[in-house]
């Protein structure tokens, strides 16, 4: 089995995706290692891996490295003789706004490798030739695929609701839930206005819209108070 621990580090772009620290349901507390060992011994479990995941959208290298160090405190041969890998999860930040910065992957890679080497040297001092170089595992899912595609929708309604201009579409949070669930920002382009072949004359520029989905909930929004370069038409 592989055991997931709580690194006691709070990081992530939204409180709903911060999976470390005291306000989360995830992972075994590091201070409960003795309880873990009792259960492992009682049921004769073969622990081959330890795991942690701090959160999603982490831009800080310091938070990631602190979580790595925390997990390595329980990645010991004296605790788990069959241990073969450590899994540091994912959560690397993807830029959604032009001002966002990516997680510094290369810098983190060098620091993680240094921590693993330091850990191996410490284990070798205790266990000699029985010390094992642990395999490193990561879960970069979102970091790999988040920028690999776009959601294409059609505006089928444009209306005023008192002072707010609303553009309704033929999609909703059933296709893209992040703005509703996490108040996440996603860049939106008006492809008709951007097309040189079909670009109509626009009466106004820099018009502010609520860009809505077609689900029967007020929270079904792709963007609120979003300034668009040109007017949106059905």
């Amino acid at each position: 089995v592989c055991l997931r621990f709580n690194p006691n580090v709070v990081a992530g772009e939204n409180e709903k995706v911060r999976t470390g620290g005291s306000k989360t349901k995830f992972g075994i507390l590091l201070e409960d290692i003795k309880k873990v060992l009792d259960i492992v011994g009682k049921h004769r479990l073969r622990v081959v891996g330890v795991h942690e995941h701090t959160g999603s959208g982490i831009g800080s290298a310091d938070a990631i490295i602190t979580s790595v160090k925390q997990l390595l405190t329980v990645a010991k041969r004296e605790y788990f003789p069959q241990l073969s890998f450590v899994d540091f999860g994912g959560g690397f930040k993807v830029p959604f706004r032009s001002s966002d910065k990516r997680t510094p992957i290369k810098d983190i890679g060098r620091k993680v490798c240094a921590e693993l080497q330091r850990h191996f040297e410490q284990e070798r001092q205790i266990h000699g030739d029985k010390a094992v170089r642990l395999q490193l595992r990561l879960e970069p899912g979102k970091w790999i695929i988040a920028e690999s595609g776009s959601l294409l929708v059609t505006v089928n309604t444009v209306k005023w609701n008192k002072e707010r201009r609303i553009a309704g579409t033929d999609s909703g949070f059933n296709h893209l839930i992040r703005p509703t669930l996490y108040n996440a920002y996603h860049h939106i382009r008006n492809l008709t206005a951007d097309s040189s072949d079909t670009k109509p004359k626009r009466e106004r520029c820099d018009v502010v819209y609520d860009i809505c989905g077609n689900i029967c909930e007020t929270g079904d929004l792709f963007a609120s108070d979003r300034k668009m370069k040109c007017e949106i038409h059905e």
Side-chain angles (χ1 to χ4, degrees):
V1 298
C2 175
L3 303 177
R4 176 171 178 169
F5 286 87
N6 182 331
N8 198 30
V9 175
V10 181
E13 61 191 354
N14 183 278
E15 63 180 4
K16 294 179 181 178
V17 294
R18 296 167 189 159
T19 54
S22 61
K23 296 182 179 181
T24 180
K25 63 184 179 181
F26 298 103
I28 303 166
L29 297 177
L30 294 168
E31 56 262 39
D32 285 340
I33 185 64
K34 290 184 178 179
K35 295 178 183 179
V36 171
L37 297 179
D38 288 341
I39 294 171
V40 168
K42 178 180 178 181
H43 297 282
R44 300 181 182 180
L45 301 178
R46 183 171 178 266
V47 178
V48 296
V50 291
H51 169 268
E52 67 87 12
H53 178 70
T54 306
S56 181
I58 303 173
S60 167
D62 291 342
I64 293 173
I65 298 304
T66 299
S67 293
V68 168
K69 292 179 178 179
Q70 293 283 74
L71 184 63
L72 290 177
T73 63
V74 296
K76 297 180 178 180
R77 181 178 175 80
E78 65 183 279
Y79 293 159
F80 310 115
Q82 287 86 33
L83 193 67
S84 62
F85 71 87
V86 286
D87 187 333
F88 297 125
F92 308 127
K93 185 173 181 61
V94 175
F96 288 96
R97 300 175 184 268
S98 59
S99 59
D100 287 347
K101 294 183 179 180
R102 296 179 184 275
T103 302
I105 295 296
K106 291 184 178 180
D107 180 41
I108 289 171
R110 286 190 291 268
K111 292 179 178 179
V112 169
C113 289
E115 290 300 327
L116 284 173
Q117 180 61 30
R118 186 177 297 111
H119 178 268
F120 173 69
E121 295 295 340
Q122 292 173 347
E123 287 288 283
R124 190 163 62 176
Q125 289 179 4
I126 299 170
H127 303 290
D129 293 339
K130 292 183 179 180
V132 175
R133 286 190 181 274
L134 298 174
Q135 181 187 68
L136 166 64
R137 295 186 182 182
L138 298 170
E139 302 166 30
K142 176 184 169 183
W143 185 76
I144 293 175
I145 68 168
E147 299 171 282
S148 64
S150 299
L151 175 63
L152 183 64
V153 305
T154 299
V155 173
N156 51 27
T157 305
V158 177
K159 59 176 282 187
W160 282 93
N161 185 357
K162 295 187 177 181
E163 73 279 3
R164 303 186 76 86
R165 182 173 290 198
I166 294 170
T169 70
D170 61 352
S171 182
F173 66 61
N174 54 316
H175 294 141
L176 180 62
I177 198 172
R178 296 187 75 254
T180 298
L181 188 61
Y182 303 139
N183 197 30
Y185 176 94
H186 284 261
H187 180 64
I188 298 175
R189 289 176 57 193
N190 185 341
L191 297 180
T192 303
D194 290 346
S195 171
S196 59
D197 296 330
T198 61
K199 186 175 182 179
K201 292 182 179 180
R202 302 297 181 183
E203 295 81 10
R204 299 180 61 190
C205 293
D206 294 335
V207 184
V208 176
Y209 291 88
D210 289 347
I211 301 176
C212 305
N214 59 1
I215 304 298
C216 187
E217 290 194 20
T218 302
D220 186 25
L221 286 166
F222 292 120
S224 180
D225 290 327
R226 179 69 59 88
K227 183 181 290 187
M228 303 297 292
K229 290 182 179 180
C230 295
E231 286 186 304
I232 296 174
H233 292 267
E234 296 178 17

